[in-house]
Amino acid sequence: MTSEREDFNLSGPLHLNNVDWKNEDHRRSVAACLVQGVYILERDRQDNRRGPQALAPLWWEFFHFRLHRELVDDVDQCIFGSIYEFKPPFDGNHLDGSPRYAIAFRGTLTKGDAFLRDLEMDVHIIRNGLHQTSRFETAIQAVRSTVATHGSSNIWLAGHSLGAAMAILAGKTMAKTGIFLEAFLFNPPFLNMPIERIKDKKVKQGIRIASSFIAAGLTVALKARQKRNIVNTSEDHLAALSAWFPSLFVHPGDHICSGYIGYFEHRKQMEAMGAGVVERLASQNPIGGLLMNAMGKDSGEPLHLLPSANLIVNSIPAQDFKQAHGIHQWWQPDLSLQSIAYNYK
């Protein structure tokens, strides 16, 4: 059964018939629609909608992109990502501010035959093991190939929820090699203690400060046997990622991504207190991961470890979690957005 939200003519940003590629609202809206295109592409596949019945193409063709390649999971053959090529309807291959290629990843589909595989990917995120999956291997190979062929200066990464996690991991992987891709990360998962649900600001601040000092202390204690300078290692690792400046789009009513709000605020407060080193150690080594390491299990790098970012918060109250977490909010024309740039130094 076709949902109204799958139909671009019913729920897409029809007002963007003339995109200004220097306008941040326009760029955000287009990136969100390209991610939606991946969702609908997989829904078209599941419902066997082809040719004129397919609903996905208008989500990218409206903005003069063409589908360059589908990214398919090798386990269940579901479509989890797409590579789009920008093809303006006039001479010239590139407009100032526009991407030449955009690589987009969808999030979890709660219905249909992709659900179980998507759920498996969600579990890997919780365990910091997404980098070990064949789906991510397909994704990062696609990113590397696109960059190697076309350069990195005008390639976008975009993703929503699970797809945002995929884009974060791909972006961080490339950043560690000195390649910094423009990224639009919608409702990216932040998996840590659900502190944002606490209403009292002083209580939240106290819990965060205590957690940071505990995590930093455990890090030093557990790794002292390695006889190396943990502080310098932490600084070097963050510095390697610091030049990557992704855009994170979050809603405070979405408990999956709202942790980023407190994460960056707390980091700023710890710097002001003169405890920035403590927080950087704690960020890289959350308590849960340290306990896994103590049991001899590799917890992997925390997905949310982002030294620099442009955090964009949608302050319009949501009716429910579904609305707060939905991709659809990000192409609405009258959003009330608050943007804060966090630049690691």
Side-chain angles (χ1 to χ4, degrees):
M1 182 177 179
T2 301
S3 167
E4 178 179 312
R5 288 194 167 184
E6 295 179 14
D7 192 331
F8 184 89
N9 287 314
L10 297 177
S11 63
L14 297 173
H15 62 284
L16 284 182
N17 54 5
N18 187 19
V19 175
D20 177 359
W21 291 103
K22 294 182 179 181
N23 184 303
E24 293 301 323
D25 291 335
H26 289 195
R27 291 158 59 83
R28 179 197 71 243
S29 298
V30 172
C33 287
L34 295 179
V35 174
Q36 176 71 344
V38 185
Y39 276 107
I40 310 307
L41 196 61
E42 170 58 16
R43 293 292 297 164
D44 281 347
R45 184 192 71 85
Q46 292 183 14
D47 295 340
N48 200 29
R49 297 190 300 236
R50 301 178 181 178
Q53 285 73 44
L55 296 177
L58 196 55
W59 286 95
W60 58 80
E61 290 177 354
F62 187 83
F63 306 107
H64 307 298
F65 286 86
R66 74 172 184 89
L67 182 61
H68 178 70
R69 177 186 166 191
E70 298 172 354
L71 301 181
V72 177
D73 192 297
D74 64 346
V75 173
D76 66 352
Q77 304 305 306
C78 73
I79 301 167
F80 71 90
S82 295
I83 302 176
Y84 302 103
E85 182 182 8
F86 183 56
K87 301 292 287 185
F90 42 79
D91 292 339
N93 294 321
H94 183 64
L95 297 175
D96 191 17
S98 71
R100 185 175 180 184
Y101 286 85
I103 306 170
F105 306 100
R106 65 166 176 83
T108 303
L109 283 171
T110 57
K111 298 179 181 179
D113 56 11
F115 171 66
L116 290 179
R117 180 60 171 166
D118 288 351
L119 185 61
E120 182 183 340
M121 293 299 104
D122 293 332
V123 172
H124 280 295
I125 293 175
I126 295 172
R127 299 173 57 188
N128 286 324
L130 188 61
H131 62 289
Q132 298 173 330
T133 66
S134 61
R135 180 181 288 191
F136 176 71
E137 184 61 30
T138 299
I140 192 61
Q141 286 180 2
V143 173
R144 286 172 173 155
S145 176
T146 305
V147 169
T149 304
H150 305 288
S152 62
S153 61
N154 53 357
I155 292 177
W156 285 4
L157 286 177
H160 173 246
S161 193
L162 165 60
M166 196 77 67
I168 287 176
L169 190 53
K172 289 171 69 173
T173 301
M174 300 303 290
K176 290 174 183 178
T177 66
I179 297 172
F180 309 106
L181 301 176
E182 186 165 4
F184 300 80
L185 309 172
F186 302 101
N187 302 84
F190 185 97
L191 301 174
N192 213 330
M193 292 185 295
I195 298 176
E196 289 304 313
R197 298 187 184 185
I198 300 173
K199 301 299 182 181
D200 192 308
K201 292 185 178 180
K202 291 184 178 180
V203 172
K204 283 196 291 188
Q205 184 178 8
I207 292 175
R208 287 198 179 98
I209 292 174
S211 297
S212 291
F213 276 96
I214 292 172
L218 286 173
T219 298
V220 174
L222 289 173
K223 295 186 178 181
R225 71 187 68 175
Q226 299 178 17
K227 297 180 180 181
R228 60 188 178 89
N229 191 323
I230 302 296
V231 173
N232 287 342
T233 301
S234 172
E235 295 288 352
D236 292 344
H237 187 73
L238 289 173
L241 291 174
S242 62
W244 188 46
F245 215 88
S247 294
L248 278 64
F249 300 90
V250 304
H251 193 292
D254 176 10
H255 63 266
I256 290 179
C257 69
S258 61
Y260 277 104
I261 301 173
Y263 166 74
F264 283 109
E265 287 179 348
H266 173 60
R267 205 177 73 184
K268 186 176 181 179
Q269 290 171 350
M270 292 289 280
E271 291 283 355
M273 292 169 53
V277 172
V278 171
E279 175 54 25
R280 288 191 282 277
L281 276 175
S283 295
Q284 292 188 85
N285 303 280
I287 294 175
L290 290 169
L291 294 177
M292 290 182 65
N293 290 335
M295 294 185 290
K297 298 180 180 180
D298 182 10
S299 63
E301 179 183 281
L303 185 71
H304 64 256
L305 182 62
L306 293 170
S308 303
N310 188 26
L311 184 69
I312 300 97
V313 180
N314 181 8
S315 59
I316 296 179
Q319 296 178 353
D320 51 28
F321 165 75
K322 185 176 181 180
Q323 183 180 12
H325 188 65
I327 186 68
H328 308 83
Q329 65 185 296
W330 299 111
W331 60 71
Q332 301 306 317
D334 299 317
L335 292 181
S336 177
L337 302 179
Q338 299 174 339
S339 179
I340 304 177
Y342 292 94
N343 192 1
Y344 175 84
K345 297 180 181 179

